[in-house]
Amino acid sequence: MTIKLIAVDLDGTFLRDDKSYDKERFTRQFERMQEQDIHFVVASGNPTLAIAEYFKEFKDKIGYVAENGAVIQDAKELLKEYLFDNKLYRETVNYLKETFAETGLLAVNNQGGFYEKSEPAEFIQDLTDYYPRVTGVESLEVLTHDISMLTGHFPVAIYEKISAQLNAEMSHKLQAKASGFGYIDINSVDATKKNGLNLLQNRWHILDEEVATFGDNDNDQDMLAFTPNSFSMATGSRLARQSANHIIGLNQDDSVLDTIDDILNHKF
């Protein structure tokens, strides 16, 4: 079956560890994708603003499944946004701060992120690698902005266990997902990469068998599981590797670009 949609996670998958990628090579690939009527979608925990920074030349020609599926766009057109209920948002922030006092916490929407000014400088600096616009506030509980995701930083050795704990204890309206490097993202249960891709598929009339997905972490699990053309990185989490039908090499070695070449040459 011909591939008509290619969806890639960013960190640990499409991007190298220094957050670069071979732009000249990808530009050639993107031109071939357009010639073959293949849609390119970035499905990431990053907000749309950050994704657009990586793909400046293509930002108005790609699809976005941002913030783990909380924000879905077709080029510039916003199709769907899953926002926190205000009461549930405040309850969740209070719970995280009381239960995990040492956790750095960021509230995210499609325009940027918000952190408390009392957070450690190291955490605040780390945020700039993922979020192009972050603002310090006195208290997250009293934010009046719409929020689509909460993300917290936990010790890398135990953050997957904490993610499972959060899912066991939080409201059934929310879901925690380990997204890599000690970060756990919390979204509406309906905000998933799979649901975001399904929305774009329906818009573009694309079957599950015509989708290729690439990921490396637990927040990629659902999009890796629904299509037979799914690819986990060799360094992916246990859940990502179990959910994918193919294991490829390393992000450092441009393994996603290698596989895209295979797709464009009709080897899949």
Side-chain angles (χ1 to χ4, degrees):
M1 174 112 14
T2 302
I3 298 298
K4 296 182 180 179
L5 190 160
I6 296 173
V8 302
D9 173 53
L10 286 183
D11 297 297
T13 302
F14 187 84
L15 299 178
R16 300 164 182 151
D17 290 347
D18 64 0
K19 298 189 177 295
S20 70
Y21 67 95
D22 189 334
K23 289 188 177 182
E24 290 186 7
R25 182 181 181 187
F26 178 73
T27 297
R28 295 193 298 271
Q29 290 181 333
F30 191 77
E31 290 171 353
R32 293 185 66 192
M33 284 184 233
Q34 293 193 302
E35 291 170 359
Q36 297 183 29
D37 295 321
I38 298 173
H39 294 271
F40 183 78
V41 177
V42 179
S44 170
N46 287 275
T48 55
L49 286 173
I51 295 170
E53 282 294 308
Y54 289 115
F55 297 94
K56 291 179 180 178
E57 300 87 345
F58 322 101
K59 65 181 181 180
D60 295 334
K61 299 178 181 179
I62 66 175
Y64 298 79
V65 177
E67 299 172 38
N68 299 314
V71 179
I72 303 99
Q73 287 185 201
D74 180 357
K76 291 181 178 181
E77 183 180 354
L78 178 64
L79 303 180
K80 186 74 174 179
E81 194 172 17
Y82 294 97
L83 301 175
F84 276 81
D85 168 83
N86 289 337
K87 182 174 181 291
L88 183 58
Y89 164 76
R90 290 192 297 271
E91 290 175 350
T92 306
V93 169
N94 285 330
Y95 169 76
L96 291 170
K97 291 173 69 174
E98 291 174 2
T99 309
F100 307 99
E102 301 302 317
T103 299
L105 190 61
L106 184 75
V108 181
N109 65 20
N110 206 20
Q111 300 304 310
F114 304 89
Y115 63 89
E116 293 189 349
K117 294 178 181 178
S118 58
E119 293 284 12
E122 183 179 358
F123 172 72
I124 296 170
Q125 178 61 40
D126 197 33
L127 295 177
T128 61
D129 289 339
Y130 301 94
Y131 302 93
R133 297 179 186 171
V134 290
T135 304
V137 297
E138 296 301 327
S139 173
L140 289 181
E141 289 98 324
V142 299
L143 274 182
T144 58
H145 301 76
D146 289 332
I147 298 299
S148 47
M149 183 172 73
L150 286 166
T151 186
H153 189 257
F154 299 80
V156 173
I158 60 172
Y159 85 114
E160 291 182 344
K161 292 182 179 179
I162 293 175
S163 179
Q165 177 185 339
L166 288 172
N167 281 324
E169 296 179 2
M170 287 192 314
S171 166
H172 66 280
K173 296 180 180 180
L174 300 176
Q175 184 178 21
K177 307 159 196 169
S179 60
F181 310 103
Y183 282 92
I184 296 175
D185 298 332
I186 300 171
N187 298 97
S188 159
V189 291
D190 295 320
T192 69
K193 293 186 178 184
K194 175 183 181 296
N195 286 350
L197 288 176
N198 289 166
L199 181 62
L200 291 171
Q201 285 175 248
N202 291 335
R203 183 177 176 86
W204 298 330
H205 307 291
I206 294 174
L207 302 174
D208 292 353
E209 293 80 9
E210 297 171 325
V211 177
T213 57
F214 295 83
D216 75 314
N217 228 301
D218 290 8
N219 62 336
D220 301 311
Q221 181 272 331
D222 63 328
M223 77 166 182
L224 293 172
F226 86 91
T227 174
N229 304 297
S230 55
F231 303 85
S232 169
M233 311 307 292
T235 53
S237 70
R238 177 184 56 82
L239 188 58
R241 286 183 282 108
Q242 288 178 346
S243 302
N245 286 312
H246 306 277
I247 307 296
I248 59 175
L250 306 178
N251 62 314
Q252 286 293 86
D253 296 334
D254 298 338
S255 295
V256 172
L257 296 184
D258 290 342
T259 309
I260 289 176
D261 273 337
D262 289 340
I263 291 171
L264 293 170
N265 293 327
H266 307 291
K267 295 181 180 180
F268 285 99

